Amino acid sequence: MLIFLSVLGKMFKLGIHPDPITFNALINGLCNEGKIKEAVELFNEMGKRGHEPNVISYNTIINGLFKSGNRNMAVHVFKKMEQNGCKPNVVTYNTIIDNLCKNMLVNDAMEFLSEMLDRGIAPNVVTYNSIVHGFCNLGQLNEATRLFKEMGGRDVMPDTVSFTIFVDGLCKEGMVSEAWCVFETMPEKGVEPNIYTYNALMDGYCIQRQIIEARKVFEIMVRKGCAPFVHSYNILINGFCKSRMMDEAKSLLAEMCEKELTPDTVTYSTLMQGLCHVGRPQESLNLFKEMCSNGLLPNLVTYSILLDGFWKHGHLDEALKLLQSMQEKKLEPDIVFYTNILVEGMFIAGKLEVAKELFSKLFVDGIRPTVHTYSVMIKGLLKEGLSDEAYRLFSKMEDDGFMPDSCSYNVIIQGFLQIRDSSTAVRLIDEMVAGKGFSADSTTFQMLLDLESHDEIISRFMRGSSRGRKMK
């Protein structure tokens, strides 16, 4: 792009005047590179050089402004367009509608659709696809359905993209039977499903744990001559793993290799997580080694899956070796990894001092903990019988700039109820409910009910007219 701008500069110096096609190409290039400021400057330069921007110029700059997050500026340019004697076309409106829908502003997009119709600009399949997709992303299936049906009434024939968007939207809302019915109507409308349609339907069945139906869709896809991608296998593998059918999931990995489809990190990570969940962490480690030998680089998610599996199944030595391997690869853990995997893992493994050291190390490494990090520490300390230390840390949260949330209160209250320190538990409940406006969760409430009959303090508290009612 710098070369083109340099050439443009030389053209000006030599008295050669570039035409609108040259300007449009340069503006488009700058927008694609994310250099929106320079694109706007060049757009403004057109007028100064005697070339009024045409509809292509406006469409390009409006799209660039939307993509760079300058939504208000994009709409402003659109309004100036007609004032400057340039009429918007269907592409202009599609650009605005699509970008508004991607920003979840579907009602605003509908206003532009209405404006299009008022001006006699006929919406096309791209227009409707954008809005149907927008409503599906918001979970507003009634509106999506209405627009999908409206297309035919306006002589706009839904294409494969239209059907795929609609099938995917229905599946994401758990309406897989309805999605199947829509899928079945495609051939009647002269539209063939593609790989993305099949994937959406398979994923819908997998989410509903209807793995046999998902497999049938996969078989139909292959029978129709639509070659599955790695992602297609990943969807099915995830479905089998969620249904705890690990041997079937592993057979799909073998099938991929037979078809010379290279599994990716998602394939292996999904299988490893499934194996860990069913108590087969050693097989998970074997897959990890296979993945590395195939040249795939493990990421934080991969390590999180394995470490979590090893902690929970008591394989401490393997977990520590894996942690060392991760450090050698210089993978920097984030706060989620620190909290959910390292600190919690050490408590599970009974490594109290290591967990405390890791928590302290957060501040040294400049990693900001979260309220959840404190809750994990408090829960771990209570589990180890260190109620005083847990209470001190709970009190210190606010000093450190972290306001305890409902989860933090319930964790520490449950800890004190567990050790039958009723006075402290009741005082904390008062503070949580009256002072902070939080509520007891179902576990806390059940513990109070269990203790009510044989703990005088709890009994008196639960008989309290206003307090007792606030618990649930």
Side-chain angles (χ1 to χ4, degrees):
M1 183 49 63
L2 288 172
I3 294 169
F4 284 118
L5 289 174
S6 173
V7 170
L8 186 63
K10 288 174 183 175
M11 288 173 75
F12 289 148
K13 282 184 183 178
L14 294 170
I16 302 169
H17 299 288
D19 58 17
I21 295 172
T22 310
F23 275 107
N24 289 344
L26 289 168
I27 291 166
N28 187 53
L30 288 166
C31 288
N32 287 339
E33 289 182 7
K35 296 177 179 177
I36 193 63
K37 184 182 175 184
E38 292 87 342
V40 171
E41 286 172 1
L42 194 58
F43 177 81
N44 293 330
E45 187 70 22
M46 283 184 75
K48 294 175 186 176
R49 296 285 172 177
H51 295 292
E52 282 301 318
N54 58 22
V55 69
I56 296 171
S57 319
Y58 277 103
N59 291 348
T60 304
I61 202 72
I62 287 168
N63 191 43
L65 286 164
F66 267 116
K67 282 185 166 30
S68 63
N70 293 285
R71 186 173 67 244
N72 292 337
M73 182 66 174
V75 174
H76 173 74
V77 170
F78 170 74
K79 287 176 180 175
K80 294 285 288 181
M81 189 175 176
E82 276 200 286
Q83 292 173 19
N84 293 336
C86 185
K87 289 190 176 181
N89 59 14
V90 67
V91 176
T92 318
Y93 278 99
N94 284 351
T95 299
I96 294 169
I97 286 168
D98 186 55
N99 280 289
L100 287 171
C101 289
K102 283 174 179 171
N103 284 287
M104 302 297 189
L105 299 168
V106 190
N107 290 331
D108 292 352
M110 286 294 288
E111 288 179 16
F112 278 96
L113 174 62
S114 179
E115 186 179 306
M116 278 180 84
L117 296 167
D118 290 344
R119 291 186 173 189
I121 300 171
N124 59 20
V125 70
V126 176
T127 323
Y128 279 103
N129 285 351
S130 295
I131 302 180
V132 171
H133 199 191
F135 277 123
C136 285
N137 285 338
L138 291 174
Q140 296 182 22
L141 266 295
N142 287 338
E143 283 300 308
T145 303
R146 184 182 66 76
L147 276 166
F148 190 77
K149 290 176 179 176
E150 183 182 298
M151 291 171 76
R154 295 195 180 276
D155 292 326
V156 179
M157 292 305 297
D159 60 9
T160 302
V161 175
S162 315
F163 278 99
T164 302
I165 288 168
F166 198 40
V167 166
D168 186 54
L170 289 166
C171 285
K172 281 186 167 61
E173 292 300 310
M175 301 166 70
V176 194
S177 299
E178 292 84 347
W180 173 258
C181 290
V182 172
F183 172 79
E184 281 193 308
T185 66
M186 290 179 72
E188 298 168 16
K189 305 287 185 184
V191 181
E192 286 299 318
N194 62 15
I195 184 72
Y196 301 104
T197 324
Y198 287 111
N199 284 350
L201 196 54
M202 278 194 297
D203 196 36
Y205 278 120
C206 287
I207 290 168
Q208 297 299 313
R209 299 287 196 273
Q210 296 182 43
I211 190 64
I212 304 304
E213 297 303 317
R215 182 77 203 205
K216 284 179 185 174
V217 174
F218 183 86
E219 288 164 1
I220 293 168
M221 176 175 70
V222 174
R223 196 163 60 244
K224 294 282 187 180
C226 189
F229 293 167
V230 171
H231 182 56
S232 312
Y233 276 98
N234 287 350
I235 289 168
L236 264 190
I237 287 170
N238 185 51
F240 277 120
C241 288
K242 289 279 193 289
S243 299
R244 303 175 74 85
M245 300 167 70
M246 292 314 304
D247 292 334
E248 291 84 348
K250 286 181 75 176
S251 73
L252 283 170
L253 177 65
E255 187 179 309
M256 286 177 75
C257 298
E258 286 170 16
K259 294 188 175 180
E260 298 184 348
L261 271 175
T262 306
D264 59 15
T265 305
V266 174
T267 318
Y268 282 105
S269 296
T270 304
L271 277 165
M272 283 187 271
Q273 187 165 43
L275 288 164
C276 286
H277 279 165
V278 297
R280 291 157 66 175
Q282 194 56 51
E283 286 180 62
S284 186
L285 181 60
N286 293 339
L287 275 179
F288 175 79
K289 290 174 181 175
E290 181 184 313
M291 181 180 90
C292 294
S293 67
N294 287 340
L296 289 170
L297 294 174
N299 54 26
L300 271 180
V301 174
T302 319
Y303 278 106
S304 298
I305 289 165
L306 276 177
L307 283 167
D308 188 55
F310 283 141
W311 298 136
K312 285 177 178 171
H313 292 94
H315 298 273
L316 182 59
D317 291 340
E318 288 91 338
L320 292 174
K321 284 177 192 171
L322 203 61
L323 188 56
Q324 186 180 352
S325 160
M326 179 184 152
Q327 289 165 341
E328 286 168 1
K329 287 183 170 61
K330 297 193 171 8
L331 269 173
E332 293 297 325
D334 57 15
I335 187 58
V336 175
F337 187 88
Y338 250 113
T339 305
N340 296 347
I341 304 303
L342 296 185
V343 176
E344 197 165 19
M346 289 302 172
F347 275 122
I348 290 169
K351 296 285 185 180
L352 170 66
E353 292 306 317
V354 180
K356 288 161 73 172
E357 186 183 325
L358 281 167
F359 182 72
S360 301
K361 194 172 182 288
L362 278 173
F363 298 91
V364 176
D365 290 348
I367 300 173
R368 184 174 169 78
T370 63
V371 173
H372 179 58
T373 316
Y374 281 92
S375 296
V376 167
M377 280 297 298
I378 290 163
K379 188 175 183 179
L381 291 167
L382 288 166
K383 184 185 170 188
E384 294 292 326
L386 301 168
S387 55
D388 290 344
E389 198 170 337
Y391 188 80
R392 282 197 299 273
L393 184 60
F394 180 80
S395 302
K396 189 173 179 291
M397 278 178 73
E398 214 163 323
D399 296 335
D400 290 343
F402 297 92
M403 296 298 291
D405 60 8
S406 176
C407 177
S408 314
Y409 270 104
N410 277 287
V411 162
I412 197 160
I413 289 164
Q414 288 163 25
F416 281 109
L417 288 173
Q418 192 77 42
I419 61 172
R420 304 295 174 88
D421 186 344
S422 307
S423 301
T424 305
V426 166
R427 182 166 51 78
L428 283 165
I429 291 169
D430 262 337
E431 184 182 310
M432 174 179 74
V433 176
K436 303 292 183 180
F438 299 135
S439 301
D441 64 21
S442 57
T443 303
T444 304
F445 190 70
Q446 188 59 51
M447 289 176 79
L448 288 165
L449 290 177
D450 292 343
L451 290 168
E452 186 177 9
S453 60
H454 51 271
D455 187 304
E456 185 57 33
I457 294 172
I458 298 295
S459 179
R460 284 203 309 270
F461 174 75
M462 294 297 281
R463 285 199 304 270
S465 59
S466 61
R467 290 175 183 172
R469 284 197 297 271
K470 283 183 180 178
M471 282 295 90
K472 203 167 183 180

